[in-house]
Amino acid sequence: MKSTADDRFETEAQARGATCIAGVDEVGRGPLAGPVTAAAVRLLPGKVPPGLGDSKTLTAKRRDILFDLIMDLAEVSIAHASVEEIDEINILRASHLAMVRALQGLPRPPDFALIDGNLLPRDMPCAGQAIVKGDALSLSIAAASIVAKVTRDRLMVDLAQQYPGYGWDRNAGYPTKEHHSALLNIGVTPHHRRSFKPVHNILYQEKYITP
């Protein structure tokens, strides 16, 4: 699938007076385990890696190559919201919290942010625009989607070594058949989201069903 991402949203923001524009995306709303991860990326003039697109449409090898290029050529900030925060404030607000943290971590404070999705996070440190399917439309958001996905996938591979059997190195914590089976047979880890129904149901059954 060829990317249609371009710089029209960045150009429009510049025409309105913005001088420091960042794209923001998150990954990890759907998994049963692990944090939600966000990235904010400011692409610099003349240093835009070729082939940027929605991370979901790229091969893992291509994402890794682009990740390294983005980290070398752009201004990047990566942030997370923890499992505990997800359970406390819900996954949407935790996703937005990670996005705000990513924006706040950029080396230069942006004056405009392009946000993937249909809602702007609360407590944005700057003005912004929400763009549905922004990771396939905006180069800055596409770059952020690649950074966030590669970062989170690598994190889940590391966690898979500590908690084998759930297949996190392959499913990144998403609710695959293997993951569901491991939850039933091995149990719930500290990295599982207790507010998510499949995990909650197992905990509830363990608590109230006696042998």
Side-chain angles (χ1 to χ4, degrees):
M1 180 178 175
K2 189 176 180 180
S3 169
T4 57
D6 57 35
D7 65 352
R8 65 185 182 274
F9 292 100
E10 290 84 349
T11 301
E12 289 169 3
Q14 286 176 331
R16 294 192 296 268
T19 59
C20 187
I21 302 160
V24 186
D25 199 5
E26 53 73 29
V27 66
R29 285 196 193 185
L32 303 178
V36 60
T37 300
V41 175
R42 182 188 179 216
L43 296 173
L44 302 176
K47 295 184 177 181
V48 179
L52 291 178
D54 177 1
S55 63
K56 296 184 291 295
T57 69
L58 303 170
T59 64
K61 183 179 179 181
R62 185 63 186 154
R63 282 196 300 267
D64 285 340
I65 292 170
L66 285 170
F67 175 89
D68 290 339
L69 286 172
I70 295 163
M71 296 301 289
D72 285 342
L73 298 175
E75 294 179 0
V76 180
S77 172
I78 301 165
H80 309 275
S82 68
V83 167
E84 292 78 13
E85 288 170 325
I86 292 168
D87 287 340
E88 182 180 347
I89 62 176
N90 77 44
I91 185 59
L92 175 60
R93 288 191 60 196
S95 299
H96 285 177
L97 177 62
M99 286 179 163
V100 170
R101 286 172 174 165
L103 280 169
Q104 291 171 333
L106 283 168
R108 277 179 276 185
D111 54 16
F112 199 81
L114 301 171
I115 306 288
D116 184 58
N118 60 359
L119 289 172
L120 290 176
R122 302 179 186 180
D123 304 318
M124 286 264 293
C126 61
Q129 177 183 1
I131 304 170
V132 175
K133 299 189 184 302
D135 48 4
L137 300 174
S138 157
L139 286 174
S140 298
I141 298 177
S145 79
I146 291 164
V147 171
K149 178 162 178 56
V150 172
T151 299
R152 190 180 185 281
D153 283 355
R154 290 177 180 177
L155 186 154
M156 294 307 294
V157 168
D158 288 343
L159 286 179
Q161 312 310 310
Q162 301 172 44
Y163 295 89
Y166 298 90
W168 291 344
D169 53 327
R170 295 180 294 281
N171 60 45
Y174 282 87
T176 62
K177 184 176 181 181
E178 177 186 24
H179 194 175
H180 276 293
S181 177
L183 268 171
L184 290 169
N185 295 320
I186 305 173
V188 177
T189 74
H191 296 283
H192 278 103
R193 302 172 181 180
R194 282 150 172 75
S195 58
F196 278 44
K197 192 172 182 180
V199 180
H200 174 83
N201 286 350
I202 288 170
L203 290 170
Y204 182 87
Q205 289 166 3
E206 287 178 354
K207 187 174 180 180
Y208 292 99
I209 296 177
T210 54

